[in-house]
Amino acid sequence: MATLTQVKPNITLEQFLEYPETKPYNEYINGKIEQKPMPQGQHSVLQSRLCSVINEVALTNKVAYALPELKCTFAGVSIVPDISVFTWERIPKNEQGKIANRFQTYPDWVIEILSPEQSANKVIRKILFCLEQGTQLGWLIDSEDESIMILKSNQFPEIKSNEDNLTVLGDLQEKLALSAQQIFSWLSL
């Protein structure tokens, strides 16, 4: 299947940040602008439900915040993970103490949901880059084979499926129990 991602010529990060926002979102990686694929039905369901489930536990306990499609600019890139989770103390704030509009740091937990036209290796490279910058945990959700790849810095990736328990961000581990089967059950109506 042909990839629909458009790659535009080299520009600087500063130039990219001056461009107007687009839908689907553009990302700036390795000096190029790359367009993310437009989310489809299963992607949207997994993204919205996962944000809700994480935030139900994380916000109540002021542990973390899961944000969908948030532009994160750090270490010379500007990416838009499907879900960015920030620990409570690392949520960027403005001078008034409100959540910032611009997040110029890496997420603590990055979650990507593989779209049919996306390259898995390209998405994995993006997660690995985040881990190199300080991200604690990465997930790559593949709804086609109903598996979730768990990535951590300096550790071999794990592939979880069925009733396998999933690793979640540190302080959420005791309060947020998820399995691959539970997540993919959200796709059945």
Side-chain angles (χ1 to χ4, degrees):
M1 175 177 262
T3 299
L4 299 178
T5 301
Q6 296 177 4
V7 178
K8 297 182 178 153
N10 285 5
I11 65 165
T12 67
L13 177 59
E14 292 72 28
Q15 290 170 320
F16 170 76
L17 294 173
E18 295 298 320
Y19 281 23
E21 291 298 330
T22 62
K23 287 245 180 158
Y25 295 104
N26 285 327
E27 297 182 304
Y28 180 83
I29 302 171
N30 296 326
K32 294 185 174 78
I33 298 174
E34 298 183 17
Q35 188 176 56
K36 288 188 69 163
M38 184 62 91
Q40 297 179 18
Q42 291 183 6
H43 183 286
S44 293
V45 167
L46 292 174
Q47 184 180 33
S48 64
R49 286 291 303 269
L50 198 48
C51 275
S52 293
V53 167
I54 293 169
N55 283 333
E56 187 176 316
V57 172
L59 288 176
T60 304
N61 296 292
K62 293 187 176 182
V63 172
Y65 207 150
L67 301 161
E69 305 290 343
L70 175 71
K71 182 186 282 187
C72 299
T73 303
F74 59 95
V77 303
S78 189
I79 60 172
V80 183
D82 293 324
I83 301 173
S84 298
V85 182
F86 286 84
T87 57
W88 199 258
E89 63 277 359
R90 288 197 63 251
I91 298 170
K93 298 175 188 68
N94 65 19
E95 299 80 33
Q96 293 80 34
K98 296 180 179 179
I99 194 164
N101 277 325
R102 292 185 182 231
F103 279 55
Q104 297 187 331
T105 189
Y106 55 86
D108 293 295
W109 177 9
V110 62
I111 301 171
E112 292 286 358
I113 303 161
L114 195 61
S115 295
E117 65 276 6
Q118 272 184 309
S119 159
N121 285 342
K122 195 175 213 175
V123 178
I124 291 168
R125 275 193 296 274
K126 186 166 61 168
I127 295 171
L128 289 173
F129 179 82
C130 291
L131 291 170
E132 290 168 1
Q133 304 309 311
T135 296
Q136 298 173 40
L137 178 65
W139 280 12
L140 176 61
I141 299 174
D142 186 341
S143 57
E144 188 173 314
D145 76 350
E146 295 192 353
S147 69
I148 300 173
M149 180 183 288
I150 309 291
L151 299 108
K152 289 179 157 186
S153 187
N154 300 318
Q155 290 187 12
F156 196 76
E158 298 178 77
I159 309 289
K160 303 285 189 169
S161 60
N162 301 315
E163 294 178 20
D164 292 341
N165 289 324
L166 302 172
T167 303
V168 299
L169 195 60
D171 289 344
L172 294 172
Q173 196 68 47
E174 293 179 19
K175 297 176 174 48
L176 182 63
L178 291 169
S179 70
Q181 184 176 41
Q182 178 184 1
I183 287 174
F184 294 112
S185 75
W186 300 336
L187 299 175
S188 298
L189 300 177

